[in-house]
Amino acid sequence: MKVLLIGGGGREHAIAESVARSSKNPQLFAVMSKKNPGIARLCKDFLLIKETDLTVVDFSVKNNIELAIIGPEAPLAAGISDRLWNAGIPVVGPLRLAARIEFDKAWTRDFMTKYRIPGCPGFKVFRKGESGTDEFIDELGDVVIKPAGLTGGKGVRVMGDHFGIEGAKDYAKEVLKNDDVVIEERLIGEEFTVQAFVDGKTLAFAPSVQDHKRAFDGDKGPNTGGMGSYNDSKDILPFMKESDYIDAKRIMNDTVRAIQKETGVPYQGILYGQFMATAYGISVIEFNARFGDPEAMNVLPLLENDFLEVCSNIVSGTLDKINVKFKKQATVCKYAVPSGYPDDPVKDSIVEIDKMKDSLLFYSSVYEKDNKIYTTGSRALAVLGIADTIRDAEKKAQDGLSCLKGELHSRRDIGTDELIMKRIQHMKELRAN
Ligand code: AMP
Ligand code: GLY
């Protein structure tokens, strides 16, 4: 089977490994903006262009691609899925109309309200140039300011973490010069992610994962694309209640149905729900129209099915015909990022990689020159430990990190007993009050 993968990060390397493991005699082709050495090694051929470049369609037709998989959000927002389907190539990744769930946060909040999808915090959308934000911020008191469009995970600012009430007012006005803005109630709790394969009607759910957005230990420092993530050997995380996962699945099911009603097109691809477990049950932080990065690296290696068989059933709308299963194991994923990331990262610095014994390695934003690996300004490499417990998976991930030598930084605390206990304690206190 000839498969095209769009995207060149750690998430896409994990997807490429899953494709390579398939028994469907896969031949992988890739389109990425920079050569990811891990993906390149698994490919028959690749093209280095912007992931939103329409020449991807010609490349696919020329290579008789039978299935395309889109990793990141930018090509979905650019309508690459629509172009490929029009050229007769089935795509794992929703059409532009349906991908709006990710790339227009204002649309999504209005959509959730219209279809009465539970878990929507108090919010108001302000259109570019509109006034009245100060009054609404005063009314809510504790707010989050979200530019409506895509910002690479770095545009959302949270009161208390990033600024006080005056700072929030200034930031809302600044965003409104160029974009619509969503001002919403700040939720207090613990975040978790649920990812699902979706064929338009049926959803097949992966276990819950928790990402760590902040750059430094103890959830300090600026927001990043995600420094690491973990899951437990069951569907829920140690701080979650069984009902949190059930409610998350129900919300995602309702969302897929409502998207088809609203847009007229079925949602086919990956749906990523980001939730906050709060004292009053779960709320929706956002939806993404793709796997998370790093969260894809947690769940894909646990998938028991042939990944390409799952993909084939997504595009033919027949996911109900197979039983999608994940191994009951825990994983811990940790990113090694260039020192100084995200504000002032060391670029073009050599990374030496020793052979890993007990962990998996995923390449992300690095490049290869004369057989040496160099950093760019973004997250460089990820390691994954898999074990029966989070504690053992964490040890394996640390082992993997010790095989990487260079001007790198990673979070020591992700997946440790100490941080997990802190999350459990946090939820206990919230639920008690
Ligand atoms: P997003 O880009 O929507 O994932 O937002 C980035 C981060 O902002 C999330 O991972 C949350 O930590 C935080 N965030 C977003 N919305 C809210 C909210 N309503 N309440 C509290 N934190 C939020
Ligand atoms: N890890 C968060 C994201 O992929 O958006």
Side-chain angles (χ1 to χ4, degrees), residues 11 73 102 152-153 193 195 211-213 224-227 229 272 274 286 288 290-295 379:
R11 164 184 49 214
E73 60 276 25
E102 168 158 10
T193 298
Q195 301 166 98
D211 186 17
H212 297 71
K213 290 252 174 208
T224 68
M227 291 296 292
S229 47
Y272 167 117
Q274 183 164 14
E286 68 168 352
N288 291 328
R290 51 168 176 86
F291 277 120
D293 186 346
E295 295 95 324
R379 296 177 292 176

Side-chain angles (χ1 to χ4, degrees), residues 214-218 226-228 333-341 381-383 394 397-402 404 406-414:
R214 300 302 197 91
F216 308 124
D217 280 14
M227 291 296 292
C333 181
K334 298 202 192 198
Y335 255 116
V337 302
S339 301
Y341 171 86
L381 297 143
V383 295
E394 196 275 336
Q398 279 301 129
D399 240 36
L401 286 176
S402 70
L404 306 177
E407 291 181 272
L408 297 169
H409 157 73
S410 58
R411 270 183 68 166
R412 181 65 194 82
D413 62 345
I414 294 168

